[in-house]
Amino acid sequence: MAATTECGADVNTSENNMSVKKALSAASPLALRVVAECPVTKARACDLILPHCAVSTPVFMPVGTQGTMKGITVDQLEGLGCQICLGNTYHLGMRPGPDLIEKANGLHGFMNWKRNLLTDSGGFQMVSLVELSEVMEEGVLFKSPYDGEEILLSPEKSISIQNSLGSDIMMQLDDVVSSTVSGPRVEEAMHRSIRWLDRCIAANKNPDKQNLFAIIQGGLNAELRQACLDEMTQRDVSGFAIGGLSGGEEKNDFWRMVTLSTDHLPREKPRYLMGVGYAVDLVVCVALGCDMFDCVFPTRTARFGSALVPWGSLQVKQKQYAKDFQPIDPDCPCPTCKRHSRAFLHALFKSDTAAMHYITIHNIAYQLTLMRSVRRSIVDGCFPEFIRTFMKRMFPSRDQYPGWAVDALASVDVTLD
C-alpha cells in the first residue's frame, strides 16, 4: 500500500494521528473511523483512511473528468485543502488511454496529484451518451464520440482501466438508466448491476491497493432499491454509493430514496451519494446519513459567471456589479475573495477567460468550506442548529424553503423555524 499522510483540514489532532496509524496497520486499503454522530439526525463525521491520505467527511469531491479540473490547477486545488477528487474511466480510457497513464505511474503521477483519487466506472455515460451506446449483458457498446469507433466497456474492462489508473477508490460498472425512467427497464438494470458487481470484484487485480465501491440502483422504486441493498450489502466491498438519482426526478422522490438507502447501508462503510452538489442538497443529505458527494456543478456554473455564496449565487456578469468593489463574499477566505473585487471580475469577464478561473477557485473553496463547517457542527453537537442558520441565510423567508427539504429534514427530527 502507498504511504499514507494527512492532508487538508481537520485531521491534525494527536488522537487522530494515532487512529490513522492504527487503521493503516490493517491489510485493507481503506478504514473508516466514525468520529461523531449527530444525536438528532443521521449525520456523522468520519475519518476515511485511504492510501494517499486521510479524508475528513462529510466531503465534497470536485470532478476532474479527464485528469484535470477545468479552470483550476492541481496546486491550487491542493492549496484549497481538497483531499480527494474524481476522474472518469470512460473518458480517460478513450484518451489519452490507460497504457500511457500507467507508464506515468498511474493517474496520480500523470496529473501530479499527491492526494486521493476516485474514478467513476463509465456507467453514467450510458445516460449522458445514450445515443452512442447499447447495453447488453456483456457490457456497454459505445461509439466513440471522437472517431466513431465501437468500443465494448465490460465490467472487466472498466476495472482493468481503473487498475491502470491506480485510483484509491474505483466504482463498479453499473447499468445506469435515467432517474425519470420507470417500468421493466429499471428492474433489469438493478439485477444486471448486481451481476456486474460480482464480475468487478473478480476482476480487481489490486484489492490490497485499490478500493471497490458498489453502486445501489433501483430507480425510484422502493422495493427494487431495497432488493438491491439486500444483495449488494452481502458483498465484500469497501464502500457503497447511492446511484441512479439526481437526474431530473422530483425532489420528494429523490430524498426518500436517499434515506431508504442510508437506513440499510452498514455503519462501518462509507456512503457516497453520486452526482449531488447544490448546497441545500448537500446539507440535507448529510442529515440523511451520506458521507461523500460529487458534482460538476461548482466548476460548470463558474464558467457562466455564477459565484456560489451563502445566500445562493452571485452573477458577476450583471451590470449591478460593475462598480462594486466588495469581494464575491466578504467572509470567504479563498484567494479570489482576498485579492479581487466584484467589479474587477465583472470587467474581466468581458475580455479574459481568467475570470472563469477566479470564480472556479472561489466555487470549489465554497463547497469545501461548507462541508468543513458541516463536519465541525456535527463534532460540536450542534448540527440541527447549523441547518437552521444555513437555511435562514440561504432563503430570505421561510415561505421560500423548498418543501422537499422541509419534509426531508422533518423525517430526521429537524424542524425549521
Side-chain angles (χ1 to χ4, degrees):
M1 183 171 65
T4 301
T5 57
E6 295 175 8
C7 62
D10 292 340
V11 193
N12 51 15
T13 66
S14 58
E15 179 184 355
N16 279 345
N17 290 339
M18 293 175 62
S19 298
V20 168
K21 291 175 182 177
K22 182 177 179 181
L24 291 176
S25 66
S28 170
L30 177 151
L32 185 76
R33 183 175 80 94
V34 179
V35 176
E37 295 178 288
C38 175
V40 178
T41 71
K42 294 192 285 182
R44 60 190 195 163
C46 304
D47 289 338
L48 176 61
I49 316 303
L50 291 170
H52 283 82
C53 69
V55 176
S56 302
T57 74
V59 63
F60 177 81
M61 304 177 289
V63 178
T65 301
Q66 294 182 322
T68 182
M69 219 70 50
K70 290 184 179 179
I72 187 169
T73 68
V74 164
D75 288 343
Q76 289 168 332
L77 195 61
E78 188 173 320
L80 294 177
C82 178
Q83 299 166 332
I84 181 170
C85 62
L86 267 68
N88 183 277
T89 296
Y90 171 83
H91 289 290
L92 290 168
M94 285 283 188
R95 60 180 190 183
D99 293 341
L100 178 66
I101 293 176
E102 190 168 19
K103 289 177 182 177
N105 295 316
L107 189 54
H108 288 89
F110 190 68
M111 61 186 289
N112 195 25
W113 174 249
K114 297 177 177 62
R115 297 178 180 177
N116 298 296
L117 286 168
L118 182 152
T119 44
D120 192 6
S121 64
F124 177 69
Q125 275 63 49
M126 296 179 206
V127 175
S128 63
L129 299 176
V130 64
E131 70 281 359
L132 300 176
S133 65
E134 178 186 351
V135 183
M136 57 191 75
E137 188 61 29
E138 181 58 24
V140 192
L141 188 65
F142 285 104
K143 184 175 289 187
S144 170
Y146 307 119
D147 58 13
E149 180 185 353
E150 287 193 340
I151 299 169
L152 179 69
L153 184 66
S154 66
E156 293 79 11
K157 182 65 174 177
S158 174
I159 294 300
S160 175
I161 295 171
Q162 293 183 82
N163 282 154
S164 294
L165 297 179
S167 49
D168 301 270
I169 296 175
M170 307 184 297
M171 303 306 299
Q172 75 153 110
L173 183 66
D174 53 339
D175 187 354
V176 183
V177 296
S178 170
S179 58
T180 58
V181 171
S182 59
R185 179 69 182 96
V186 178
E187 183 172 6
E188 175 191 50
M190 183 273 288
H191 287 297
R192 181 174 288 134
S193 294
I194 296 169
R195 295 192 295 273
W196 283 3
L197 173 59
D198 291 335
R199 290 168 60 185
C200 287
I201 293 171
N204 182 13
K205 67 180 183 181
N206 297 325
D208 59 330
K209 298 177 182 178
Q210 292 179 273
N211 300 283
L212 179 63
F213 277 28
I215 304 177
I216 306 299
Q217 290 291 349
L220 305 180
N221 185 308
E223 290 184 6
L224 294 181
R225 197 162 282 269
Q226 182 66 64
C228 193
L229 283 157
D230 291 343
E231 281 291 328
M232 287 190 171
T233 51
Q234 296 179 40
R235 272 60 174 181
D236 184 18
V237 292
S238 299
F240 294 91
I242 303 169
L245 299 174
S246 195
E249 73 277 6
E250 292 292 330
K251 287 287 194 175
N252 275 322
D253 296 324
F254 161 78
W255 78 259
R256 286 182 169 84
M257 293 302 101
V258 171
T259 201
L260 168 66
S261 300
T262 57
D263 278 346
H264 295 90
L265 289 173
R267 180 180 182 272
E268 68 276 10
K269 301 286 181 75
R271 305 160 182 168
Y272 165 27
L273 180 57
M274 305 179 80
V276 169
Y278 296 148
V280 172
D281 297 19
L282 293 172
V283 171
V284 171
C285 291
V286 167
L288 297 181
C290 298
D291 304 312
M292 305 165 66
F293 307 86
D294 81 285
C295 192
V296 298
F297 168 67
T299 49
R300 180 172 291 170
T301 198
R303 298 195 290 275
F304 293 94
S306 181
L308 305 179
V309 289
W311 56 94
S313 64
L314 188 148
Q315 308 302 318
V316 298
K317 292 192 292 185
Q318 291 182 353
K319 188 176 180 180
Q320 68 193 80
Y321 300 114
K323 299 179 181 180
D324 188 340
F325 295 102
Q326 296 183 87
I328 292 172
D329 177 2
D331 296 323
C332 177
C334 82
T336 299
C337 288
K338 282 182 177 180
R339 297 171 186 159
H340 301 298
S341 68
R342 299 171 182 178
F344 171 77
L345 295 170
H346 173 86
L348 198 64
F349 236 101
K350 296 180 178 180
S351 60
D352 197 324
T353 56
M356 303 178 191
H357 167 76
Y358 289 130
I359 298 174
T360 297
I361 291 173
H362 167 80
N363 282 359
I364 292 178
Y366 171 83
Q367 300 285 95
L368 299 179
T369 300
L370 172 63
M371 300 311 281
R372 291 187 195 115
S373 298
V374 167
R375 175 184 168 94
R376 194 175 305 116
S377 72
I378 296 169
V379 173
D380 292 344
C382 58
F383 182 52
E385 187 53 42
F386 174 91
I387 296 172
R388 296 184 185 100
T389 301
F390 167 84
M391 294 293 285
K392 285 178 181 177
R393 191 164 191 202
M394 182 63 70
F395 301 99
S397 69
R398 194 189 186 288
D399 293 342
Q400 294 178 292
Y401 290 176
W404 74 268
V406 173
D407 292 342
L409 292 169
S411 76
V412 286
D413 298 322
V414 175
T415 56
L416 299 177
D417 302 330

